[in-house]
Amino acid sequence: MSTLLSNNAAPTSHTSACGASKPLVSIIIPLYNSMPYLRECLASVQAQRYTNFEVLCIDDASPDDARAYVELLQRSDPRIKLLNSTNSDQQKNLGPGCARNVGLLHAQGTYIYCLDSDDILHARMLDTCVRTLQRTNADMLLFNFTTYNQRGACELEVQWGMPYRNELPCDARTRFVWDTCPDVFFQCVKNVPWNKMLHKRLIERFRARFQQLYLTEDMMYSLTSAVCATRIVRSAQPLLAHREFSGTNAMSDKGKHPLDVIDAFKELYQWLTLHKHYEALRVSFIAWLAEALYYNLPAYKHTDDFARACAALAEFLHAIPEADIRAARDCTYHTSVSAVLDALLDVFYCNGSIRHSFSDHEWLKFLLHVTNCAVQEVDSKVCEFQVEANALVKLLRRVRLALHKRGLAL
């Protein structure tokens, strides 16, 4: 990570940055990582050239060394504040969504930014975001990012950081809202919170909050805010390095919460339907669901967890007409989305409606479809977030072993 840290300026004096006036930016960080990642993250925040901010670190049954380190920092830097989640006394982690909601309740800034505790801000991130939002009076700024692959110890430029940058508005002069590109809007916004800074008025106007989930908890915060925003701007400049494969964050074992991703999409679907946005955004919604299935399901370590997720998916799909799946399939997306939508149509639908029962063979057939498209993307280097396909290869072996034990074959 030395390359990233060398891009950051030395920490700026902050003796008067948070004096009598309120901070302009509130940075919310759930503490679920220990050192050295948290140390690098907070160092990149303290090294920002823009200094009028507060850092709300939320202790959600975090590692002892993380809490102790924040306590040490706040003695010398009044911008750093340590808060407790509502369940801290029980030492039970409630997840990043609940922790971020605590931060939202205490945030004093005009602009809100949610940062993961293992990511790294580029030196001019806050300065760039604040200047852009002030100049445009936008509700939301979407910005590009790089990834830092912990396994390969390398920083990567990624296509998915700022998709459609050549086809769609990608500068602060141009207004960007959902009807700019309804068929790919969610792909452009993404539900991760760390690629966007929001004006607090947007959050307060629509009471945006994170879901009480451990995974995909950011969907209702990010995507509903984006749909409600009257002005969004995009910046192609990378302002963050997002760490992957650290093994310490909430995403490292998705099988612990196999239903979260489905529950998140169910709530978004209900919200879109209630506010009469679903019909206009259905193609983007279905394609984003396919990307989520592709990204999450192959990472489950146990086939029983995968089967539970598939059963929940089948129940959810009763609300989704086959025509909507086909409409998304007919649009131009990358290989993985098309492959997952083909798999949905092949396994879940029959004669125009969702099937009522599924065998183990059919669950595993769907898993193999999704896993195979992921392996193909890794091999073709289309998918940058996977430097190596070892985990996926192991998953394929487990699928074949599970089939063999049941006397089944594809």
Side-chain angles (χ1 to χ4, degrees):
M1 190 63 78
S2 57
T3 302
L4 295 174
L5 293 179
S6 66
N7 290 331
N8 288 337
T12 308
S13 173
H14 49 72
T15 54
S16 61
C18 287
S21 61
K22 289 184 178 181
L24 195 61
V25 180
S26 294
I27 303 172
I28 299 171
I29 306 178
L31 299 182
Y32 50 79
N33 282 321
S34 56
M35 264 55 75
Y37 305 140
L38 177 62
R39 186 189 303 274
E40 293 174 342
C41 174
L42 290 175
S44 76
V45 175
Q46 289 185 294
Q48 289 294 297
R49 298 178 186 180
Y50 183 87
T51 61
N52 187 17
F53 61 83
E54 65 176 354
V55 184
L56 305 177
C57 297
I58 317 301
D59 179 14
D60 184 30
S62 58
D64 290 341
D65 56 349
R67 182 182 178 91
Y69 183 66
V70 174
E71 289 175 337
L72 178 64
L73 283 183
Q74 69 178 355
R75 293 173 192 168
S76 59
D77 190 341
R79 300 172 301 180
I80 297 177
K81 304 169 185 178
L82 182 64
L83 302 174
N84 293 320
S85 70
T86 56
N87 209 43
S88 59
D89 292 340
Q90 301 179 35
Q91 292 300 300
K92 180 181 179 182
N93 183 280
L94 294 178
C98 291
R100 291 190 182 108
N101 284 337
V102 172
L104 290 176
L105 289 174
H106 290 83
Q108 298 295 309
T110 302
Y111 303 112
I112 307 296
Y113 178 62
C114 294
L115 175 64
D116 280 357
S117 62
D118 57 354
D119 289 346
I120 302 292
L121 298 183
H122 291 188
R124 299 193 66 91
M125 183 272 183
L126 290 182
D127 184 59
T128 300
C129 289
V130 170
R131 288 177 183 272
T132 302
L133 287 167
Q134 287 182 325
R135 185 169 67 251
T136 61
N137 195 31
D139 291 322
M140 179 184 294
L141 168 65
L142 302 174
F143 55 81
N144 200 0
F145 54 87
T146 59
T147 62
Y148 184 83
N149 188 285
Q150 192 64 33
R151 292 178 183 171
C154 57
E155 187 177 1
L156 304 171
E157 294 184 5
V158 289
Q159 295 177 359
W160 59 281
M162 184 58 60
Y164 306 103
R165 58 187 298 176
N166 297 323
E167 298 85 1
L168 296 172
C170 199
D171 61 81
R173 298 185 301 273
T174 308
R175 179 172 172 263
F176 181 85
V177 289
W178 71 260
D179 57 4
T180 305
C181 53
D183 288 351
V184 294
F185 183 68
F186 294 141
Q187 287 78 354
C188 290
V189 175
K190 307 186 185 307
N191 44 275
V192 296
W194 37 259
N195 76 330
K196 54 183 65 72
M197 185 176 287
L198 277 62
H199 198 295
K200 193 175 184 179
R201 69 187 174 211
L202 178 64
I203 296 172
E204 292 178 338
R205 188 186 311 152
F206 299 103
R207 300 183 59 83
R209 288 295 183 270
F210 291 85
Q211 291 159 282
Q212 295 187 20
L213 304 171
Y214 288 84
L215 301 173
T216 326
E217 80 292 337
D218 38 29
M219 183 167 292
M220 292 299 292
Y221 172 81
S222 295
L223 298 187
T224 61
S225 294
V227 173
C228 292
T230 58
R231 183 180 180 90
I232 302 172
V233 291
R234 301 205 303 167
S235 172
Q237 180 181 354
L239 299 178
L240 171 91
H242 173 60
R243 192 190 303 266
E244 296 184 323
F245 302 112
S246 64
T248 57
N249 60 25
M251 301 293 284
S252 59
D253 187 1
K254 300 175 184 179
K256 287 183 177 179
H257 310 283
L259 305 184
D260 279 9
V261 62
I262 309 301
D263 288 341
F265 272 93
K266 285 170 63 176
E267 187 171 351
L268 178 61
Y269 172 79
Q270 292 166 358
W271 185 90
L272 291 171
T273 303
L274 176 65
H275 294 276
K276 303 187 185 307
H277 289 301
Y278 174 75
E279 187 62 30
L281 291 166
R282 63 176 182 145
V283 168
S284 183
F285 175 83
I286 297 297
W288 193 235
L289 172 63
E291 287 199 38
L293 298 177
Y294 154 70
Y295 181 63
N296 285 274
L297 295 186
Y300 290 5
K301 295 181 179 179
H302 303 289
T303 51
D304 288 346
D305 293 330
F306 174 81
R308 289 178 61 201
C310 280
L313 175 62
E315 180 183 358
F316 170 49
L317 289 177
H318 278 90
I320 308 295
E322 182 183 7
D324 290 2
I325 306 291
R326 294 195 179 278
R329 177 63 182 84
D330 291 341
C331 289
T332 302
Y333 292 108
H334 55 74
T335 306
S336 63
V337 172
S338 299
V340 173
L341 292 176
D342 283 339
L344 282 174
L345 292 168
D346 181 37
V347 175
F348 287 86
Y349 287 88
C350 180
N351 297 324
S353 60
I354 189 72
R355 300 176 59 184
H356 294 286
S357 62
F358 301 87
S359 65
D360 287 349
H361 177 275
E362 287 158 337
W363 290 146
L364 293 167
K365 180 181 179 182
F366 181 61
L367 175 58
L368 194 59
H369 273 308
V370 176
T371 305
N372 273 335
C373 78
V375 171
Q376 290 168 7
E377 289 212 344
V378 171
D379 290 343
S380 64
K381 303 189 184 304
V382 173
C383 181
E384 300 92 340
F385 66 78
Q386 294 277 13
V387 169
E388 54 187 343
N390 291 344
L392 295 172
V393 170
K394 290 178 181 177
L395 181 59
L396 282 170
R397 290 173 181 166
R398 286 201 298 271
V399 171
R400 294 185 179 115
L401 179 61
L403 285 170
H404 178 72
K405 287 181 177 178
R406 290 168 171 81
L408 301 169
L410 290 176

